[in-house]
Amino acid sequence: MSRLIATVFGVGYLRPAPGTWGSLAALPLFYGLHLLGGIVATLIGVIAVGVVGYWATKQMTQGSDNHDPSEIVIDEVLGQWIALLPVSYGAVFAGADILALWPGWVVGFAAFRLFDIWKPWLVGRADRRNDAVGVMLDDAFAGVFAAIVVFIAAALYHIPLIMAAQ
């Protein structure tokens, strides 16, 4: 069970770039969660994936020298979902279909992958922990940074629209 969860039902074995495949797999799952219960369901999903992902990662890496095997992509799901939280909130706030906010999906995906690969500041520090917490935490931080980018991009896009409406 831990292998299925950690690899997101085998997505982590796809090559090349299993992290990108894991991030892509996160998108329809997030969409489904949002449809089930909006921002509340996505927040609960983030917490659940964080807890279950940590457990699965710890199980899969226990006794191994490799603390972060490339096939573990549940951490990408966590980070990608965090990056998309502003999109879920925006859709609920505006009463819009979440797919209508497609630019937020694109920005969230791209920003998360950038921060996950680049590993600036807290992302890199978490990654250097070399344990299951670090595996999950670096992607959580990358997701937070990406969510901030999504929020700023949405604000910059909407400011001229608000100003024009006045």
Side-chain angles (χ1 to χ4, degrees):
M1 182 58 84
S2 62
R3 183 171 300 279
L4 282 174
I5 293 168
T7 65
V8 187
F9 298 96
V11 170
Y13 294 111
L14 295 175
R15 299 289 183 264
T20 300
W21 287 110
S23 295
L24 283 169
L27 301 178
L29 298 172
F30 187 83
Y31 176 70
L33 269 178
H34 178 83
L35 290 181
L36 284 174
I39 187 70
V40 173
T42 58
L43 284 169
I44 291 169
V46 163
I47 293 165
V49 163
V51 170
V52 173
Y54 165 74
W55 169 82
T57 300
K58 187 172 180 180
Q59 294 297 311
M60 223 173 129
T61 59
Q62 199 166 22
S64 172
D65 290 337
N66 188 354
H67 80 282
D68 193 1
S70 62
E71 64 268 14
I72 294 178
V73 294
I74 191 67
D75 52 329
E76 269 75 24
V77 172
L78 174 66
Q80 191 64 72
W81 284 7
I82 292 170
L84 294 175
L85 285 173
V87 179
S88 180
Y89 175 78
V92 171
F93 180 78
D97 179 358
I98 193 168
L99 295 179
L101 281 68
W102 66 266
W105 288 81
V106 173
V107 170
F109 180 84
F112 170 70
R113 292 307 300 144
L114 172 71
F115 290 124
D116 187 31
I117 293 165
W118 177 28
K119 300 204 183 306
W121 187 40
L122 293 174
V123 182
R125 287 179 74 184
D127 185 58
R128 288 188 296 274
R129 285 181 53 104
N130 295 326
D131 61 6
V133 170
V135 170
M136 297 301 291
L137 197 57
D138 78 310
D139 288 82
F141 284 142
V144 169
F145 293 166
I148 292 167
V149 170
V150 170
F151 179 80
I152 291 169
L156 290 174
Y157 175 79
H158 286 94
I159 286 173
L161 297 175
I162 294 168
M163 302 276 287
Q166 293 179 2

